[in-house]
């Protein structure tokens, strides 16, 4: 069992940066693949980024590629999402999620554990 807590959201102007953190409890967190997803009002939850348990594989949505970076520190059971050059369309609630297994996935249905979400608002 893994419990996730998302932090780091806030209000930022367009072009600014934020760093989201996902803190995990559980001794086996290093064996989980982790993803970040986001959901804006009235829209479906969408994939943002994912990282394999070894940090050897990462993947990003086209809309954030080159601006966002996902990383993890298994020793401290954290996963981070560095978000640069933020745009108003990045405004959403951001969630980290974990799934057991080796392969990454951009499908939120494949993730078993979820954080509570953290609000990111980008003003124009």
């Amino acid at each position: 069992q893994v419990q996730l807590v998302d932090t780091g959201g806030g209000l930022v102007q367009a072009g600014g940066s934020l760093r989201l953190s996902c803190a995990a409890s559980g001794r086996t967190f290093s064996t989980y693949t982790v993803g970040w997803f986001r959901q804006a009002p009235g829209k479906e939850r969408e994939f943002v980024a994912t990282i394999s348990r070894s940090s050897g594989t990462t993947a990003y949505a086209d809309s954030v590629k080159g601006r966002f970076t996902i990383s993890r520190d298994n020793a401290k059971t954290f996963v981070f999402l560095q978000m640069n050059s933020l745009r108003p369309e990045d405004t959403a609630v951001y969630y980290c999620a974990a799934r057991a297994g080796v392969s990454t996935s951009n499908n939120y249905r494949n993730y078993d554990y979820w954080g509570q979400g953290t609000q990111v608002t980008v003003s124009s």
Side-chain angles (χ1 to χ4, degrees):
Q1 189 92 14
V2 174
Q3 293 183 325
L4 306 175
V5 178
D6 311 320
T7 58
L11 173 63
V12 64
Q13 288 188 333
S17 298
L18 284 172
R19 188 192 197 203
L20 305 184
S21 297
C22 175
S25 62
R27 295 179 299 169
T28 60
F29 180 64
S30 60
T31 65
Y32 286 79
T33 292
V34 178
W36 284 97
F37 294 82
R38 66 187 181 187
Q39 188 165 18
K43 295 187 177 182
E44 286 195 359
R45 190 164 297 190
E46 66 172 353
F47 167 72
V48 176
T50 184
I51 187 166
S52 65
R53 61 187 188 182
S54 67
S55 303
T57 300
T58 58
Y60 298 89
D62 288 342
S63 59
V64 307
K65 205 171 290 184
R67 300 188 297 123
F68 291 11
T69 302
I70 189 171
S71 60
R72 68 189 299 168
D73 182 346
N74 285 331
K76 297 182 179 180
T77 64
F78 282 99
V79 172
F80 305 101
L81 185 68
Q82 178 67 43
M83 306 187 297
N84 298 328
S85 303
L86 283 162
R87 304 167 180 168
E89 53 265 39
D90 294 318
T91 295
V93 178
Y94 284 69
Y95 301 88
C96 72
R99 64 186 297 264
V102 176
S103 60
T104 57
S105 174
N106 61 3
N107 187 336
Y108 70 88
R109 297 176 182 86
N110 291 332
Y111 288 78
D112 304 305
Y113 305 101
W114 291 84
Q116 82 288 357
T118 184
Q119 176 71 48
V120 171
T121 303
V122 184
S123 63
S124 57

